[in-house]
Amino acid sequence: MIQSNNLLTINNLTTEVEGSLVLKELYLSVAPGQLHLLLGANGAGKSSLGMTVMGAPNYVVTKGEISFCGQNILTLSPDKRARMGLFLAFQFPYAIPGVSVSTFLREAYRALHGDKLLLKDYQTLQNQALDSVGLDLSFASRSLNDGFSGGERKRLEIAQFVLLRPKLAILDEIDSGLDLDAINKIADLINLTRKLNSEMSIILITHSTKFIDLLNVDQVHLMRDGSIIERGGASLIKKIERSGYE
């Protein structure tokens, strides 16, 4: 049943990609303002969950429901889900030659927040977002992710998160390919963004437990074979560190 007090409610979700099962009878509820950590080995279904929630067309839901802001979103296209306040930071961000970072960010911001800001005020926010992740402002004029290193692509994903201020952000392995200093900086940005937007919720997908000491995590979920098999807090993290995902 849909629970109106949750920002995101997933009930009995089963998803296939090209006929192969990637999620099986999965349940997840995220309340406003919460941060959930999603752990699991490769192939556990973590990224598949993010892609399904965002409505990627090749992820076919065969059973269950997804409710966001009290509305069943399964029939909505990805752009409509994004306009509602859903955001996915990709594990492997796409390059789009010919579309500048500035144009992309501006149109995304307008779609989510409208034209409430004067151009110069928006430009200040955009520059602050880029600077906050250590990207030179010259990146704004470059084609989106075209020729960017893996680390630069991940930094730009976090810059989008900071700028757009979504209601629910799914951050898919945002730490991969980054050194410890960059991870610490991203953790600081996540903490600051949550402080400024107390109702924002985050699902952080990762292989690693290193974020647990840097963020105020509300709940930890362990995935295996397309399902969440265990939930908990810090004690679950310690258990995983001792015994691994198995």
Side-chain angles (χ1 to χ4, degrees):
M1 297 295 291
I2 296 297
Q3 302 177 38
S4 58
N5 60 317
N6 288 319
L7 183 64
L8 177 74
T9 302
I10 299 175
N11 283 327
N12 199 30
L13 183 66
T14 299
T15 303
E16 294 181 355
V17 175
E18 296 180 351
S20 296
L21 198 65
V22 293
L23 297 175
K24 182 180 179 183
E25 299 175 354
L26 186 143
Y27 292 82
L28 177 65
S29 295
V30 180
Q34 287 188 334
L35 193 158
H36 289 234
L37 193 65
L38 199 60
L39 297 168
N42 282 329
K46 305 184 303 299
S47 296
S48 293
L49 177 57
M51 297 295 278
T52 301
V53 171
M54 281 306 303
N58 54 325
Y59 287 76
V60 179
V61 175
T62 59
K63 186 168 64 174
E65 58 186 3
I66 303 174
S67 171
F68 181 64
C69 295
Q71 178 180 346
N72 189 337
I73 62 172
L74 284 181
T75 60
L76 299 182
S77 59
D79 64 298
K80 290 180 179 178
R81 300 185 194 198
R83 289 173 191 273
M84 289 179 68
L86 274 171
F87 172 80
L88 173 64
F90 290 105
Q91 181 179 357
F92 303 107
Y94 298 96
I96 308 179
V99 177
S100 72
V101 168
S102 181
T103 298
F104 174 81
L105 292 178
R106 174 64 174 162
E107 291 305 311
Y109 186 90
R110 289 178 61 188
L112 193 55
H113 298 290
D115 286 312
K116 300 175 184 178
L117 292 180
L118 296 174
L119 181 58
K120 64 180 182 67
D121 294 327
Y122 164 77
Q123 197 69 49
T124 298
L125 288 181
Q126 177 183 287
N127 291 345
Q128 288 174 342
L130 292 173
D131 183 65
S132 71
V133 297
L135 289 177
D136 187 271
L137 299 187
S138 63
F139 275 82
S141 61
R142 294 176 59 180
S143 291
L144 184 68
N145 290 322
D146 190 26
F148 289 21
S149 68
E152 288 167 345
R153 292 187 183 205
K154 291 299 181 75
R155 289 173 188 267
L156 184 56
E157 292 293 290
I158 289 296
Q160 293 175 51
F161 160 73
V162 171
L163 174 66
L164 298 179
R165 295 176 283 109
K167 294 177 181 176
L168 173 64
I170 303 171
L171 307 180
D172 191 357
E173 296 198 27
I174 203 66
D175 55 321
S176 66
L178 299 180
D179 60 30
L180 185 58
D181 287 343
I183 290 171
N184 287 336
K185 188 168 188 176
I186 285 175
D188 288 342
L189 283 172
I190 291 173
N191 287 328
L192 177 60
T193 304
R194 292 186 72 201
K195 184 177 180 180
L196 296 174
N197 304 274
S198 61
E199 294 296 295
M200 174 191 289
S201 298
I202 297 172
I203 298 174
L204 181 61
I205 299 171
T206 181
H207 283 292
S208 172
T209 60
K210 55 193 163 190
F211 267 123
I212 195 69
D213 294 325
L214 303 174
L215 302 171
N216 183 19
V217 176
D218 293 287
Q219 196 165 10
V220 179
H221 309 272
L222 177 59
M223 287 193 70
R224 184 190 301 157
D225 297 330
S227 298
I228 293 175
I229 62 169
E230 195 166 353
R231 309 171 197 266
S235 60
L236 178 55
I237 291 290
K238 298 301 181 184
K239 179 179 177 182
I240 292 171
E241 289 176 338
R242 289 194 308 268
S243 308
Y245 294 129
E246 296 302 321

